[in-house]
Amino acid sequence: MNSTKIIIGLLLTFFVIACSNSTNTDLILNEKEYYEKQGVNYIVFTNWYNGSFGDEKMSGIEIIHHEVRTATNGDVRIHNTPEQWDAIPKFIERKVDSINSIIEASLIYEEYNFKYTIRSEAQGDAMLISVNIENPVPDALLGKAGFNLEFLPAEYFEKSYLADGIPGVFPLYPSGPMQINNDGFTEPKALASGATFTLAPESPERRITIESSIGDISLYDGRNKAQNGWYVLRTLIPANKTGKVVEWKITANTIDNWKKKPTIAYSQLGYHPNQPKVAVVEFDKTDKVAQNIQLLKLDENGNSTLVKSSKLIDWGKYLRYKYGKFDFSDVEEEGLYCIELGNQKTATFRIQKDIYNNAWQPSLDVYLPVQMDHMLINEAYRVWHGKSHMDDALQAPLNHEHFDLYAQGPSTDTPYKPGEHIPGLNVGGWYDAGDYDIRTQTQYHVITSMVEAWEDFGIDRDQTLVDQTRRYVDLHHPDGKVDILQQIEHGALALIAQHRSCGHAIPGIIVGNISQYTHLGDGVTMTDNLIYNSRMSELESNGFESGVFDDRWAFTSRSTALNYGSAAGLAASSRALKNHNTSLSNECLQTSINVWNEEHSKEPDIFRVGNTTGGNLLQEELKAAIELLICTNDQQYTKRILEIFNSKDLRFMFVSDLFLKVLPYMDENFKNELQKKVVEMIEEGKTFITENPYGVPITRGGWAGGGTVMRYAISNYKLHKAFPDLVDATATFNGLNFVLGCHPGSNVSFVSGIGTVSKKVGYGMNRADYSFIAGGVVPGVIVMPPDFPENKENWPFLWGENEYVIPMSSMYIYLVHAVNDLLNEE
């Protein structure tokens, strides 16, 4: 009897264990409010369109398939293939029923008073999606409103599909078919239609089946309208119907016992022998961290030698993954190395004393010259772009909110009327980013960053010919002049031109319509380079003017914050250019002083629309005061710096390193007070760098945080140099390692052309070619709410992840020199 009870007890125990270890094949709605099973997640309206920049492909219903986001923008749209600036609905509310695994999102197209609800519900291993309406589709939206779900082309290139069993292949390049719709616009026609679609039936990682119970599904190629378009599956909402008007059942294939492959993150460039060397390994949440990891050294015959082997140190959880760390700081022998974990090896990297000597050079030699506006940029047999925007610029219209966060107030604040040509603005400046505008706030940031690099590290490299008279730049062509000074000069010319022509700094210069803004390719073809003359017809030209209304617009509303920021950039430029271009140097300094005097003689001009009108007013004034003090040693600036330092309105964390520049001009009491504030700041900021295993602050916004990481690392360097006993240099090394590959989601270097594996597609002017610009730095990893880190290497068109922005490269140049300086400290 007792033996029978024991056997039964053992069987029950084994049964419980077996059940607890079984693979759950059903979708569940987890505590983070998204649906999951191993190998697939459905995110339902956790993310929302960014209204400032249009549709950024991060909204509505999204699918993460084997840890790759393959689908997005599951929502009702009024175009077959919506473009970036097409109409988007207004979000009303999101309701989550955790007990029944249901999420409902309510939205409205206010212009049409068209309200609807999208409902998601788990059904076994499938997802049910339905669109529900209380009133029929308005007549204006008949044949237009439909439920769309967009699929990332790069994940389905060279793959097939089945539409009701009829095969097709996803087009590698968009080639139609197109049609003219009833509104007179071109739009893609469907590639295929059917009640059931299976995408990539041959691929276990990407196979997904969608069945429609109400109406057919049609497949479109959004790239026929815009290079950043996705493949779109779409079901139209029928006329005169209410209640459930669209219903899809989505079943994503998942590979049995699938786990995310561990990501071994490290610096793709490599390491100096004396610096900290820590790799961070990212694991699937079901994986074990306590694994053996090895460092191998390679010889000239390709043979590898084991240098170090250890168990990974379990760091814990961050976002959706587990993390382990491998510290090999004690390995100092120069050579070529790789890391091995299980059956995977990393790409090779170096340990070398001169590792950082040329790691910054592509940013100065290639990227920044390529971004130079109003110049022809040549590289060997290639012309990057012609002498662009020589017709700059027309006065922007009044009371106008423009795209890309530009705006004009109720007056021009210049001597010019709306639409009138403002002479003298067609000089200097860099294309802001992957687009072509001259954003003043960005320009002066780059200038001050490069001046700091020039003053702190004495960079004297000469590899680029810059001829301002001929408006000609030739890469890889020394001209006997220091390149970084020529770049500072180019930026200063753009800033000083605004003061000459308008009397103050202006928010910037940008094209007047969306069709120009979406331009890809050579910037010289954005406009005809002839000044617009309204008295001429479009076909008229006299060689200097034309009747083509394509000139860029100058947004000129006064902003005291922006004027201070520009003054800071001009004052800094004056020091760097003193022996390079003396007359420009003198003009920059005098203009900066004039701005200071003028702004202090009146109430500040506050114009806060968009993000082109300067930063925080107090911070921008502080920057101007600091640069002017260094230039003049005038005590009026000292007085104002001390007032700002003691202001309760100052956000010290964002400007702490600025005060270090004026330490030579201040007394010992100031240094002591500054040190106290630094101690408090360090304590307050600990949580930002300890919440993740990378030791840097990783942001959660819609724009990836690589810039924040570099600013943090540079600030840490400066604080360490000023207070070495108080601030260690670890965060500076961490920041550079992060940019060079030691980050979540992947291990690619975010600096194109730097490191063994670096960004080979970037959101630059050449993004339509799926290419890159050497030395360009992308924003990096976006943490998509609630917990998914992403940076796509096969799709350049996600600007929040992959857009080159000019301050990133100037900061990168500084950061590399800072790390090199730390490693050469006595």
Side-chain angles (χ1 to χ4, degrees):
M1 186 68 174
N2 289 338
S3 62
T4 302
K5 289 182 178 179
I6 292 171
I7 291 171
I8 292 173
L10 288 171
L11 289 173
L12 287 172
T13 301
F14 292 144
F15 176 75
V16 170
I17 293 172
C19 288
S20 66
N21 290 334
S22 66
T23 301
N24 185 356
T25 60
D26 290 346
L27 286 168
I28 63 167
L29 183 59
N30 66 22
E31 71 282 356
K32 295 181 180 179
E33 298 184 350
Y34 63 84
Y35 299 93
E36 71 169 334
K37 60 171 286 190
Q38 193 66 12
V40 67
N41 306 148
Y42 296 88
I43 314 294
V44 180
F45 286 90
T46 299
N47 303 309
W48 190 242
Y49 309 99
N50 186 330
S52 301
F53 300 105
D55 175 6
E56 58 184 349
K57 306 299 182 189
M58 194 183 300
S59 183
I61 293 173
E62 305 182 84
I63 301 174
I64 298 172
H65 201 183
H66 295 111
E67 292 308 298
V68 176
R69 187 170 64 102
T70 59
T72 191
N73 285 7
D75 196 0
V76 172
R77 303 299 297 273
I78 57 179
H79 296 86
N80 294 343
T81 58
E83 297 179 64
Q84 179 177 340
W85 303 100
D86 282 335
I88 57 176
K90 179 181 178 181
F91 181 79
I92 299 174
E93 64 177 345
R94 178 177 184 264
K95 296 179 180 178
V96 179
D97 180 351
S98 300
I99 296 175
N100 296 301
S101 296
I102 295 171
I103 299 177
E104 291 184 339
S106 297
L107 306 97
I108 186 172
Y109 281 95
E110 291 184 316
E111 180 181 352
Y112 305 96
N113 193 29
F114 176 50
K115 183 179 179 181
Y116 61 92
T117 297
I118 294 180
R119 185 179 192 269
S120 63
E121 179 181 0
Q123 187 183 79
D125 66 345
M127 172 65 64
L128 285 182
I129 305 292
S130 64
V131 179
N132 302 270
I133 56 178
E134 294 181 358
N135 299 299
V137 176
D139 290 344
L141 295 182
L142 285 176
K144 297 180 180 179
F147 180 76
N148 291 17
L149 184 60
E150 305 186 24
F151 288 82
L152 181 65
E155 293 298 331
Y156 289 92
F157 286 156
E158 301 180 329
K159 294 181 174 64
S160 61
Y161 60 84
L162 293 168
D164 285 346
I166 299 174
V169 175
F170 286 102
L172 183 63
Y173 194 85
S175 55
M178 301 291 286
Q179 64 185 3
I180 306 296
N181 64 22
N182 293 333
D183 298 322
F185 297 105
T186 59
E187 66 178 10
K189 294 176 68 175
L191 299 173
S193 296
T196 300
F197 262 86
T198 298
L199 311 185
E202 71 275 33
S203 170
E205 292 86 359
R206 294 290 167 264
R207 183 164 65 249
I208 187 166
T209 298
I210 301 178
E211 304 165 78
S212 173
S213 62
I214 306 174
D216 277 350
I217 304 170
S218 295
L219 171 65
Y220 300 89
D221 188 348
R223 299 171 303 152
N224 280 298
K225 288 287 287 183
Q227 277 83 0
N228 61 357
W230 292 30
Y231 299 134
V232 182
L233 289 180
R234 171 175 170 84
T235 293
L236 280 173
I237 298 175
N240 303 317
K241 298 290 184 181
T242 58
K244 185 185 296 182
V245 291
V246 174
E247 184 176 58
W248 285 6
K249 180 181 179 181
I250 305 176
T251 307
N253 181 69
T254 55
I255 299 170
D256 291 343
N257 302 313
W258 182 87
K259 292 180 182 178
K260 172 189 179 297
K261 181 181 177 182
T263 299
I264 306 169
Y266 60 98
S267 169
Q268 289 285 347
L269 176 67
Y271 305 89
H272 187 283
N274 298 333
Q275 79 172 96
K277 309 173 192 71
V278 180
V280 179
V281 185
E282 183 179 83
F283 290 95
D284 190 283
K285 67 179 181 180
T286 66
D287 213 341
K288 63 176 183 178
V289 175
Q291 299 185 31
N292 196 57
I293 190 167
Q294 301 182 129
L295 180 69
L296 307 176
K297 186 179 182 186
L298 281 70
D299 65 18
E300 60 274 14
N301 298 313
N303 299 317
S304 58
T305 302
L306 178 63
V307 175
K308 183 168 185 174
S309 177
S310 68
K311 288 284 185 185
L312 281 165
I313 299 170
D314 191 340
W315 184 87
K317 288 194 69 176
Y318 171 62
L319 301 175
R320 57 170 53 200
Y321 302 125
K322 294 178 180 177
Y323 290 87
K325 301 182 82 169
F326 174 45
D327 191 333
F328 54 102
S329 301
D330 55 334
V331 177
E332 298 181 356
E333 185 178 1
E334 292 189 302
L336 197 62
Y337 293 84
C338 69
I339 299 171
E340 184 176 56
L341 176 70
N343 60 2
Q344 69 165 305
K345 287 183 181 179
T346 67
T348 56
F349 59 89
R350 293 173 291 154
I351 295 179
Q352 199 167 336
K353 287 181 179 178
D354 63 355
I355 192 76
Y356 297 114
N357 285 7
N358 61 7
W360 53 276
Q361 291 171 0
S363 295
L364 183 60
D365 293 359
V366 180
Y367 176 72
L368 285 169
V370 165
Q371 295 297 110
M372 294 169 76
D373 200 357
H374 306 116
M375 308 285 277
L376 186 151
I377 313 300
N378 186 73
E379 182 182 22
Y381 296 167
R382 175 183 194 172
V383 174
W384 277 93
H385 63 77
K387 188 167 57 176
S388 52
H389 307 121
M390 295 307 296
D391 44 5
D392 278 345
L394 299 178
Q395 173 66 59
L398 303 181
N399 297 310
H400 174 73
E401 285 198 36
H402 206 53
F403 47 80
D404 209 11
L405 300 174
Y406 283 85
Q408 183 68 40
S411 64
T412 66
D413 295 331
T414 70
Y416 304 97
K417 299 175 182 178
E420 187 177 354
H421 177 73
I422 302 175
L425 295 179
N426 59 347
V427 61
W430 303 271
Y431 299 152
D432 176 66
D435 42 23
Y436 301 81
D437 55 310
I438 300 287
R439 180 177 180 267
T440 298
Q441 193 172 340
T442 308
Q443 307 289 312
Y444 62 65
H445 186 292
V446 173
I447 291 169
T448 53
S449 181
M450 286 197 290
V451 170
E452 286 188 340
W454 159 253
E455 292 182 332
D456 292 353
F457 307 114
I459 300 170
D460 60 359
R461 184 172 175 81
D462 170 26
Q463 288 293 304
T464 306
L465 181 149
V466 178
D467 187 333
Q468 289 288 346
T469 302
R470 294 169 57 212
R471 309 261 190 161
Y472 178 75
V473 175
D474 195 22
L475 277 59
H476 320 306
H477 184 160
D479 64 353
K481 300 176 182 178
V482 176
D483 290 343
I484 198 167
L485 295 181
Q486 291 178 307
Q487 290 298 321
I488 293 168
E489 177 185 39
H490 193 69
L493 285 169
L495 294 188
I496 203 70
Q498 297 177 5
H499 292 272
R500 291 169 180 167
S501 297
C502 302
H504 56 86
I506 66 174
I509 304 171
I510 189 172
V511 289
N513 62 71
I514 287 291
S515 63
Q516 288 177 287
Y517 183 73
T518 55
H519 172 89
L520 294 174
D522 192 336
V524 78
T525 60
M526 291 186 81
T527 73
D528 64 3
N529 269 338
L530 302 173
I531 295 169
Y532 173 65
N533 186 333
S534 61
R535 296 182 297 275
M536 291 182 172
S537 73
E538 281 201 355
L539 298 179
E540 281 188 272
S541 169
N542 60 17
F544 301 97
E545 302 171 311
S546 80
V548 180
F549 186 63
D550 64 356
D551 301 15
R552 295 195 298 185
W553 296 1
F555 287 81
T556 59
S557 293
R558 275 186 175 272
S559 164
T560 293
L562 189 73
N563 225 17
Y564 278 135
S566 176
L570 289 170
S573 297
S574 74
R575 300 195 302 273
L577 299 177
K578 186 174 182 179
N579 297 317
H580 176 80
N581 186 335
T582 304
S583 61
L584 179 60
S585 169
N586 293 337
E587 185 181 5
C588 285
L589 179 56
Q590 189 57 56
T591 301
S592 182
I593 293 170
N594 293 344
V595 168
W596 179 272
N597 293 337
E598 180 187 16
E599 293 297 346
H600 275 254
S601 69
K602 62 181 181 62
E603 291 297 311
D605 294 302
I606 306 298
F607 184 67
R608 285 291 183 199
V609 183
N611 74 345
T612 62
T613 57
N616 175 274
L617 176 57
L618 204 60
Q619 292 176 23
E620 298 284 32
E621 183 185 4
L622 174 65
K623 293 174 187 176
I626 288 172
E627 298 299 342
L628 283 166
L629 174 62
I630 296 171
C631 289
T632 67
N633 200 18
D634 189 322
Q635 292 306 297
Q636 67 169 316
Y637 306 120
T638 307
K639 179 183 177 183
R640 185 57 183 145
I641 291 168
L642 290 172
E643 290 172 350
I644 296 174
F645 179 74
N646 293 307
S647 171
K648 294 180 180 179
D649 296 325
L650 181 67
R651 294 182 287 181
F652 181 76
M653 180 178 290
F654 298 100
V655 295
S656 59
D657 58 314
L658 293 179
F659 290 106
L660 303 175
K661 298 179 72 170
V662 297
L663 281 177
Y665 305 88
M666 299 294 186
D667 59 23
E668 193 66 23
N669 180 61
F670 176 82
K671 183 174 183 179
N672 292 336
E673 291 301 312
L674 177 59
Q675 185 167 333
K676 290 177 184 178
K677 288 194 175 190
V678 169
V679 171
E680 294 173 1
M681 179 191 70
I682 292 172
E683 192 61 33
E684 292 172 2
K686 281 182 178 179
T687 56
F688 295 112
I689 61 171
T690 57
E691 71 164 3
N692 67 74
Y694 302 96
V696 296
I698 299 178
T699 61
R700 299 288 186 101
W703 189 274
T708 299
V709 170
M710 285 198 287
R711 280 190 291 271
Y712 173 77
I714 291 170
S715 178
N716 179 263
Y717 162 78
K718 294 175 180 178
L719 290 167
H720 168 75
K721 296 293 285 188
F723 307 112
D725 297 330
L726 182 63
V727 182
D728 73 30
T730 302
T732 302
F733 292 110
N734 290 346
L736 183 57
N737 288 339
F738 184 93
V739 173
L740 293 175
C742 193
H743 50 71
S746 74
N747 59 17
V748 66
S749 166
F750 291 144
V751 189
S752 290
I754 299 297
T756 308
V757 180
S758 68
K759 289 297 296 184
K760 292 183 287 295
V761 298
Y763 191 102
M765 69 180 73
N766 57 346
R767 59 188 176 275
D769 302 317
Y770 292 71
S771 191
F772 65 93
I773 306 173
V777 186
V778 303
V781 179
I782 276 186
V783 179
M784 285 187 50
D787 64 357
F788 185 65
E790 177 181 271
N791 178 275
K792 288 195 178 296
E793 176 57 13
N794 59 2
W795 191 249
F797 301 105
L798 300 176
W799 57 83
E801 303 175 10
N802 284 330
E803 185 167 15
Y804 298 129
V805 186
I806 51 174
M808 298 285 284
S809 287
S810 59
M811 284 191 292
Y812 173 73
I813 291 170
Y814 189 98
L815 181 55
V816 173
H817 280 86
V819 167
N820 214 18
D821 179 62
L822 290 172
L823 292 165
N824 289 287
E825 286 181 324
E826 293 297 331

